[in-house]
Amino acid sequence: MDYIREFDIRLDKEMFYAGEILEGHVVLDTIENFKLKTVRIVLRGKAHAEWQVLVSGDRSAIKDDQYFIDNRSLIFGKVDRQEGPAPILPRGIHHFPFKFQLPQSSLPCSFESKPGYVRYYIKVTLDIPYASPPQGMKYFTIIGPHIDCMDDQYLKPIGALEKRTKCCLCCKSNRVVLQCLLERSAYVCGEALRLKANIKNQNEKDIRLKVRLLQNVHYSVERGMLGVQNQKDVQHSVLEYIGEPIRTGCESQWDSADGLVLPVMPPTLIGNCRLLQIYYVLKVCVDLGKGDEDLNITFPITIATVPFRIPNCNKTPQIYYSVACDHVEGGRYIGPEFLLGGHVYDGSQTEQIVLYRPVYVSVRQPNCNSTSAAATAVSTATSTATTTTTTTTT
């Protein structure tokens, strides 16, 4: 409207945890007096999943919603059905404060992808007589769910042993042994995976150690049409390490050290939202060459929101918040409503003006080598991990 020069929603901060107080104010800068019946505000947390399916040759959309928060408040004016004329708002700058208590329950993290999202926002409506009500929206990030790396279930080391033995007609044994130890199973972004591996190669050719962290996102729509697949699975490679060749008759001891540093990505999300689940798997295997993989060992990895702390140590990890990297679900896509100009982000465009992106917890590692494989690329790279090779008698 011509007489409203500024209509803005301002929050005290941009990210919140479950149970915190969300405070802010609505700013109205007007250049003339006008009647304003009410200023209404809604706090909402919503998950949405939607994608196209092919039914009898025609494309249709299946979709579903889930609400986590739906609180409403009147911050100016009179309640409905209360008689009397609408108050007049004088020209000038006006501030309407508001406050909401976020639920103590474990809220899913803010998340953006093409098949689905989890969004939290404030919506303000100005009720003006004889005019269309102006509306404004402000999106913010919820950091969650609460997952602490120090929980006992994540601190237990996980070990695994795999062997491969193949006997030929000449009675020669081609044997490969892979033994792995994962020191703990929960990490915050920015931390380094703590993995050790021992490989014995009595095969006829050289082999390599291969480590990959995979992100799996499962979308599910309960309101799907009959005969239509209402589930969707997406997998992305978060980081990858390929070791040096291990020659025949040699044994190699490998330690990830500070090499496999986790990039910023959404945390593990299981059981908090019925429309989408996010989980991570660490896959360790032996590459036999020509793309063949053997001795696959998988470890469940939990991406947490509270970092690991060294017991009896006064130093605490330095936490910061950042958007997800652009090769994982949650960082690859930005909806057109959050881009100035309305163009969909597909990873190839540059110098975009982004109005909103969710952020995630990460820690700073001043001693980490920033040029390590995990921090710079998903493809084959050189890591700061240490490898020791010895020769064994066959």
Side-chain angles (χ1 to χ4, degrees), residues 342-364:
H343 299 293
V344 176
Y345 174 82
D346 59 3
S348 61
Q349 302 180 22
T350 57
E351 299 183 359
Q352 295 273 1
I353 299 178
V354 181
L355 303 179
Y356 163 78
R357 292 190 75 178
V359 295
Y360 303 101
V361 177
S362 186
V363 295
R364 301 188 188 278

Side-chain angles (χ1 to χ4, degrees), residues 322-333:
S322 179
V323 299
C325 59
D326 59 8
H327 61 269
V328 300
E329 202 79 348
R332 298 168 58 92
Y333 175 82

Side-chain angles (χ1 to χ4, degrees), residues 174-190:
N174 296 329
R175 186 183 182 194
V176 178
V177 179
L178 173 62
Q179 187 174 10
C180 296
L181 177 66
L182 184 67
E183 293 185 5
R184 54 187 171 95
S185 59
Y187 302 85
V188 165
C189 300

Side-chain angles (χ1 to χ4, degrees), residues 188-392:
V188 165
C189 300
E191 293 183 328
L193 290 173
R194 312 304 299 179
L195 178 68
K196 295 180 180 180
N198 185 73
I199 311 100
K200 296 179 181 179
N201 181 21
Q202 294 182 359
N203 196 23
E204 295 179 346
K205 56 183 178 180
D206 296 351
I207 61 175
R208 293 174 183 263
L209 176 69
K210 191 173 183 179
V211 181
R212 282 191 297 170
L213 179 63
L214 301 175
Q215 179 200 49
N216 297 277
V217 184
H218 175 74
Y219 301 92
S220 177
V221 173
E222 294 184 356
R223 301 177 184 176
M225 295 173 287
L226 293 177
V228 174
Q229 181 69 26
N230 60 351
Q231 297 181 353
K232 189 179 185 72
D233 292 285
V234 178
Q235 184 180 85
H236 298 291
S237 182
V238 179
L239 59 85
E240 182 175 282
Y241 168 83
I242 299 179
E244 296 295 325
I246 303 172
R247 301 192 179 277
T248 301
C250 293
E251 178 178 351
S252 176
Q253 295 180 350
W254 181 81
D255 189 344
S256 65
D258 291 327
L260 301 182
V261 179
L262 297 177
V264 181
M265 53 189 163
T268 298
L269 189 63
I270 299 176
N272 302 96
C273 176
R274 62 176 171 82
L275 300 186
L276 63 95
Q277 311 282 329
I278 305 174
Y279 61 97
Y280 297 86
V281 175
L282 182 67
K283 183 179 179 181
V284 185
C285 63
V286 172
D287 188 351
L288 301 177
K290 297 182 180 180
D292 296 330
E293 295 180 358
D294 200 1
L295 302 184
N296 291 301
I297 297 177
T298 58
F299 297 99
I301 296 294
T302 299
I303 303 302
T305 53
V306 182
F308 177 80
R309 284 91 67 199
I310 300 176
N312 303 321
C313 180
N314 294 327
K315 293 183 179 180
T316 58
Q318 184 181 359
I319 293 177
Y320 72 101
Y321 303 91
S322 179
V323 299
C325 59
D326 59 8
H327 61 269
V328 300
E329 202 79 348
R332 298 168 58 92
Y333 175 82
I334 303 175
E337 58 267 51
F338 301 129
L339 291 172
L340 199 62
H343 299 293
V344 176
Y345 174 82
D346 59 3
S348 61
Q349 302 180 22
T350 57
E351 299 183 359
Q352 295 273 1
I353 299 178
V354 181
L355 303 179
Y356 163 78
R357 292 190 75 178
V359 295
Y360 303 101
V361 177
S362 186
V363 295
R364 301 188 188 278
Q365 298 288 351
N367 295 327
C368 287
N369 185 353
S370 61
T371 61
S372 65
T376 57
V378 183
S379 59
T380 305
T382 301
S383 171
T384 57
T386 59
T387 303
T388 304
T389 304
T390 58
T391 302
T392 60

Side-chain angles (χ1 to χ4, degrees), residues 59-72:
R59 288 196 171 274
S60 302
I62 59 172
K63 55 186 176 181
D64 198 358
D65 295 319
Q66 181 182 1
Y67 290 89
F68 311 105
I69 309 173
D70 193 6
N71 296 338
R72 303 166 187 269

Side-chain angles (χ1 to χ4, degrees), residues 20-197:
E20 288 189 332
I21 301 294
L22 184 147
E23 293 186 86
H25 55 275
V26 178
V27 178
L28 268 182
D29 184 4
T30 63
I31 59 176
E32 62 180 68
N33 303 343
F34 67 95
K35 291 184 178 181
L36 179 62
K37 294 176 63 176
T38 59
V39 178
R40 301 177 184 273
I41 186 169
V42 175
L43 167 64
R44 184 166 290 161
K46 172 186 175 182
H48 177 78
E50 179 179 355
W51 59 85
Q52 298 287 326
V53 294
L54 194 63
V55 181
S56 301
D58 297 327
R59 288 196 171 274
S60 302
I62 59 172
K63 55 186 176 181
D64 198 358
D65 295 319
Q66 181 182 1
Y67 290 89
F68 311 105
I69 309 173
D70 193 6
N71 296 338
R72 303 166 187 269
S73 179
L74 181 70
I75 58 176
F76 176 82
K78 301 177 180 180
V79 298
D80 292 339
R81 300 180 181 178
Q82 187 170 348
E83 297 181 358
I88 296 178
L89 188 72
R91 65 181 180 182
I93 301 177
H94 304 272
H95 295 263
F96 304 100
F98 58 84
K99 179 189 296 186
F100 287 101
Q101 171 73 57
L102 293 175
Q104 296 284 350
S105 58
S106 185
L107 296 172
C109 61
S110 300
F111 179 78
E112 289 288 329
S113 71
K114 193 170 184 178
Y117 60 74
V118 178
R119 293 175 181 171
Y120 298 87
Y121 58 89
I122 292 287
K123 182 179 179 180
V124 177
T125 303
L126 308 180
D127 188 1
I128 301 174
Y130 312 110
S132 299
Q135 294 183 338
M137 297 182 70
K138 172 70 174 180
Y139 290 86
F140 61 92
T141 295
I142 287 290
I143 304 296
H146 180 81
I147 305 175
D148 193 343
C149 289
M150 298 300 291
D151 287 351
D152 291 341
Q153 60 178 322
Y154 304 126
L155 294 177
K156 298 177 181 178
I158 305 175
L161 176 65
E162 288 288 329
K163 299 180 181 180
R164 174 184 177 271
T165 302
K166 180 181 179 182
C167 292
C168 304
L169 295 177
C170 58
C171 296
K172 291 184 177 179
S173 177
N174 296 329
R175 186 183 182 194
V176 178
V177 179
L178 173 62
Q179 187 174 10
C180 296
L181 177 66
L182 184 67
E183 293 185 5
R184 54 187 171 95
S185 59
Y187 302 85
V188 165
C189 300
E191 293 183 328
L193 290 173
R194 312 304 299 179
L195 178 68
K196 295 180 180 180

